[in-house]
Amino acid sequence: MIQDVIIVKKQVISDDRGKILHMLRNDDKNFSKFGEIYFSYVYPNKIKAWHIHKKMTLNYVAAFGKIKLVLYDDRTNSKTFGKIQEIFLSNQNHLLVSIPPNIWNGFTSADGNLAVLANCSNIPHDKEEISRLNFDDPKFPYKWNKK
């Protein structure tokens, strides 16, 4: 587990009509403030990696499909510096992952199908506070299984 990342099992309410998948409430311990909500589609066999935010806290859940989320801790003052963490998100494994600033992350479909990741961030998107690198950049000690 990467230091300062919070993973919370979220409530699912299900009946014969469908499901309600909880994401984030303003009285949750890991809620700080509302910035924006967006949905990131990842197409089959594509990888959305790597990116890092300088200020934004991400709050991810799988809205549709199965997501493999990968984190890399590049913070030299962290106890988990240099560590990789894989987290699998889906409606069957309904987790909220809160990722603080300065942790690299990326994701792909875990099963080769379309998947949708929802993010409820604490600040609106600002292209000046994000950095991106290619999924196969040698900086990262991780190999994505690209088909």
Side-chain angles (χ1 to χ4, degrees):
M1 178 103 156
I2 290 185
Q3 181 180 340
D4 304 320
V5 172
I6 300 168
I7 301 174
V8 180
K9 182 78 173 163
K10 297 304 287 186
Q11 184 178 17
V12 177
I13 300 169
S14 184
D15 65 23
D16 64 333
R17 301 168 296 162
K19 294 180 184 181
I20 295 173
L21 302 168
H22 283 253
M23 182 173 179
L24 191 61
R25 296 167 46 118
N26 68 357
D27 59 353
D28 284 345
K29 290 179 184 177
N30 58 315
F31 177 82
S32 63
K33 65 180 184 175
F34 176 77
E36 72 171 320
I37 295 174
Y38 65 81
F39 302 90
S40 183
Y41 282 61
V42 60
Y43 295 127
N45 304 314
K46 298 297 181 180
I47 300 166
K48 288 191 167 186
W50 293 93
H51 70 276
I52 191 170
H53 290 275
K54 297 173 198 157
K55 299 176 187 173
M56 182 185 287
T57 296
L58 307 167
N59 291 289
Y60 284 159
V61 298
F64 179 81
K66 296 178 181 179
I67 298 280
K68 177 169 71 170
L69 172 65
V70 182
L71 310 177
Y72 175 65
D73 192 351
D74 194 29
R75 302 170 296 168
T76 55
N77 62 340
S78 169
K79 294 176 186 174
T80 55
F81 171 70
K83 300 290 185 194
I84 290 282
Q85 182 175 3
E86 286 185 337
I87 305 161
F88 291 88
L89 310 171
S90 69
N91 290 171
Q92 291 71 40
N93 188 33
H94 188 52
L95 303 172
L96 171 77
V97 180
S98 292
I99 305 167
N102 298 309
I103 294 178
W104 288 95
N105 71 94
F107 55 92
T108 188
S109 168
D111 63 4
N113 294 307
L114 174 70
V116 181
L117 187 73
N119 180 27
C120 180
S121 63
N122 67 333
I123 61 172
H125 177 76
D126 173 0
K127 66 182 178 182
E128 299 300 318
E129 70 88 42
I130 187 173
S131 295
R132 297 179 190 278
L133 290 173
N134 289 332
F135 75 90
D136 58 355
D137 191 289
K139 171 184 182 67
F140 304 98
Y142 187 80
K143 300 293 180 215
W144 295 88
N145 291 332
K146 191 168 188 309
K147 296 179 182 180

